[in-house]
Amino acid sequence: MNNQTENTAWVEEAWSKALEKTGINSQSIGAEFPHAGQSGKYVLEAPNWWTAGFWPGMLWQFYGECGDESLKAIAERCEKRLDEVLDGYVKLDHDLGFMWILTSVANFKLTGNEMSRIRALKAANYLSARFNLKGRYIRAWNPWREGEDNSGVAIIDCCMNTSLLFWASAETGDPRYRHIAEAHMDTVLEHFIRADGSVYHIVNFNPDTGEVKEKPGGQGYGPESAWSRGTAWAVYGLTLAYHHSAKPEYLHAAQRVAHFFLTRLPEDHVPHWDFRAPGETGKIRDTSAGSCAASGLLLLARQVDDSESHIYRSGALKIMESLYRNYGTWDQPDEEGLLLHGTSNYPENRNIGVSLIYGDFFYVEALARLKEAGPFYWE
C-alpha cells in the first residue's frame, strides 16, 4: 500500500489533544462508567450498562502507546468493578464483548494478567450460552420489563461481541466458541444484510423454530431505513469475523456494506444518523457512527490487496480528519467528551447531538490504527 501521498500530519496532533483531554478527564471521572454528555459532563451509568467497557478501553488504548501508569490504574479499577456484574449474572446480556474485550482482554493482552484472562473466559462462556440453536443467533437483550418476551431478538450490534468468542477459541484451543461466532455471523449474512449493503438493526425470530417473524426499525428511522451506526457495526464486525475466520463471504459482505456507507456520506464525510431518514430529521449527524466505521475501514484496508485497500483507508482518513477538525472539543475545556454531535437513540429521543463514550473510544482507536500503535483488542 502506498501512503506517500497521504496528508496525515494532523494525526499526531489529534492524538496528543485527545490524550491530553483524557488525562484531565481521568482525574474527574476516575473508575466510573461514562455514557453520554449532558451540559458538558458525562452522565455516569451503572457497571451493568452496555457501554461500561469503553472508558477503560480508551484508557488501555492510550496506555499501550504512552505507558501512563495512572491511566492503567483506573482501567484496572474499572475492570474489578465489573466483577459485580459478571458474578451477579442476572444483568448480563449480549454486550459481554463490548464490556470484557475492552477491559479484561485488553488487560491480558497488555500485561498478561491471569485474572483478566479468567474474567474474559467467563464472559465468553456466558455469551456462548445465549446462542439459540434453532435460529443460529446470539440472543440480544433480556426482558426490559416484567412479562416481556424478547428471546427471539438478535441485533446487528452483536457482530462486535463475537470477537470475544473468536478470542476464547484461540486462547483455549476449543473450537466451540468459534463455531457459535461463525453460526451467528452466518445468520447476519442471511438475514441482516440487504442486497445493496444496507443493514437491518433488529431481526426477531421465533425462538422455538428459528423462523423470522419481523424486522422492526429499532434505532433507525423505520424498518427499511439505514441506521448509520448499525451500518458501522456491520462494517467492523464482518471485517473482524473475516480476520478471525478467513471465510471470504464475511469479507465480501464487509466490502458491500462499506461501499454503501462510503457512498452515502455527506460533503464533510461524517454520517447522518440514518442514511434514509427524510427531510430535516435526516440531516442530524452521528459522529459515533463515523468513528466506529473509520476504525473498521482501517482494519478492512489491511485485509485486501493494494488495488482495493486505498478505497477503505482513504474513506477512513476523510472521516477522521473531519471529526478532528469539525466535531472535536479541543477548544472547549468545559466539554468532557472528545467529539460532539453523536446520536444515541433518535426514535426514543435520547442523547441526540451529544458526546458519546463509544464514539470517543472508536475515534481514539482509529487514531491508534493510523499511528500503528496497537494492540487492538478485538483482534
Side-chain angles (χ1 to χ4, degrees):
M1 180 170 57
N2 183 3
N3 296 330
Q4 292 181 354
T5 61
E6 288 182 353
N7 176 18
T8 57
W10 57 272
V11 172
E12 287 295 338
E13 183 180 88
W15 177 267
S16 295
K17 289 182 178 180
L19 175 57
E20 179 183 10
K21 189 147 202 163
T22 300
I24 294 169
N25 286 343
S26 69
Q27 298 172 34
S28 57
I29 294 173
E32 297 291 341
F33 302 101
H35 172 55
Q38 191 174 96
S39 301
K41 303 296 180 185
Y42 264 122
V43 175
L44 306 178
E45 298 289 351
N48 65 286
W49 193 239
W50 75 276
T51 58
F54 289 104
W55 169 243
M58 190 159 67
L59 299 179
W60 280 122
Q61 198 72 65
F62 280 125
Y63 172 76
E65 195 267 352
C66 72
D68 186 331
E69 292 293 326
S70 68
L71 302 182
K72 174 188 175 186
I74 294 171
E76 289 176 328
R77 281 160 46 207
C78 287
E79 181 186 1
K80 289 178 181 177
R81 286 195 62 195
L82 288 179
D83 284 349
E84 66 182 87
V85 187
L86 191 64
D87 297 334
Y89 174 72
V90 294
K91 293 184 178 180
L92 296 175
D93 62 14
H94 66 289
D95 285 318
L96 291 124
F98 282 130
M99 297 170 77
W100 278 277
I101 288 173
L102 299 183
T103 54
S104 296
V105 173
N107 192 350
F108 178 63
K109 282 192 172 185
L110 284 168
T111 73
N113 185 308
E114 181 61 20
M115 191 64 236
S116 294
R117 177 180 180 271
I118 291 170
R119 288 183 177 110
L121 289 173
K122 282 183 181 179
N125 276 288
Y126 285 135
L127 184 58
S128 298
R130 299 187 71 83
F131 182 69
N132 181 297
L133 183 62
K134 292 290 187 180
R136 293 171 57 83
Y137 63 88
I138 295 171
R139 176 185 175 178
W141 303 293
N142 302 321
W144 292 102
R145 56 193 64 85
E146 187 175 353
E148 181 181 30
D149 179 12
N150 54 14
S151 57
V153 171
I155 62 175
I156 195 64
D157 318 38
C158 203
C159 285
M160 301 294 293
N161 292 312
T162 57
S163 283
L164 180 64
L165 302 180
F166 284 117
W167 170 84
S169 270
E171 186 61 31
T172 63
D174 188 335
R176 292 176 301 163
Y177 304 102
R178 172 171 50 81
H179 293 164
I180 290 171
E182 291 183 8
H184 178 84
M185 294 307 295
D186 290 347
T187 297
V188 167
L189 294 182
E190 183 176 0
H191 294 298
F192 282 83
I193 312 300
R194 302 185 184 104
D196 66 356
S198 62
V199 175
Y200 290 104
H201 178 201
I202 297 173
V203 177
N204 192 4
F205 298 87
N206 181 318
D208 291 315
T209 67
E211 294 176 324
V212 174
K213 293 168 58 178
E214 61 174 342
K215 297 182 179 182
Q219 288 179 235
Y221 182 81
E224 296 300 324
S225 67
W227 178 46
S228 63
R229 193 164 68 250
T231 315
W233 293 140
V235 170
Y236 204 162
L238 287 162
T239 303
L240 285 166
Y242 173 72
H243 168 78
H244 288 294
S245 71
K247 291 178 70 171
E249 54 265 44
Y250 299 151
L251 177 63
H252 298 155
Q255 291 178 288
R256 192 163 80 249
V257 178
H259 285 231
F260 178 87
F261 190 98
L262 289 170
T263 56
R264 282 155 180 82
L265 294 176
E267 288 186 7
D268 70 353
H269 307 288
V270 173
H272 300 119
W273 75 280
D274 190 308
F275 292 120
R276 292 187 177 129
E280 292 300 310
T281 299
K283 296 180 181 179
I284 297 168
R285 294 294 202 275
D286 182 13
T287 52
S288 74
S291 61
C292 176
S295 196
L297 288 165
L298 290 169
L299 177 61
L300 180 56
R302 287 173 34 208
Q303 310 299 312
V304 298
D305 63 31
D306 288 354
S307 65
E308 295 181 291
S309 64
H310 69 94
I311 298 170
Y312 309 117
R313 184 175 173 88
S314 173
L317 276 167
K318 290 174 182 176
I319 294 168
M320 288 297 294
E321 185 169 7
S322 183
L323 289 173
Y324 170 59
R325 298 195 186 282
N326 303 318
Y327 295 87
T329 63
W330 327 121
D331 59 349
Q332 300 177 52
D334 294 332
E335 284 281 349
E336 285 185 337
L338 304 184
L339 300 176
L340 299 174
H341 298 289
T343 297
S344 173
N345 191 329
Y346 184 88
E348 294 186 3
N349 195 31
R350 285 196 284 121
N351 299 317
I352 299 168
V354 299
S355 298
L356 298 167
I357 192 62
Y358 42 92
D360 287 359
F361 166 80
F362 286 113
Y363 173 78
V364 170
E365 184 186 68
L367 287 176
R369 288 191 185 280
L370 290 171
K371 285 168 54 65
E372 300 184 357
F376 302 101
Y377 311 119
W378 315 95
E379 301 170 34

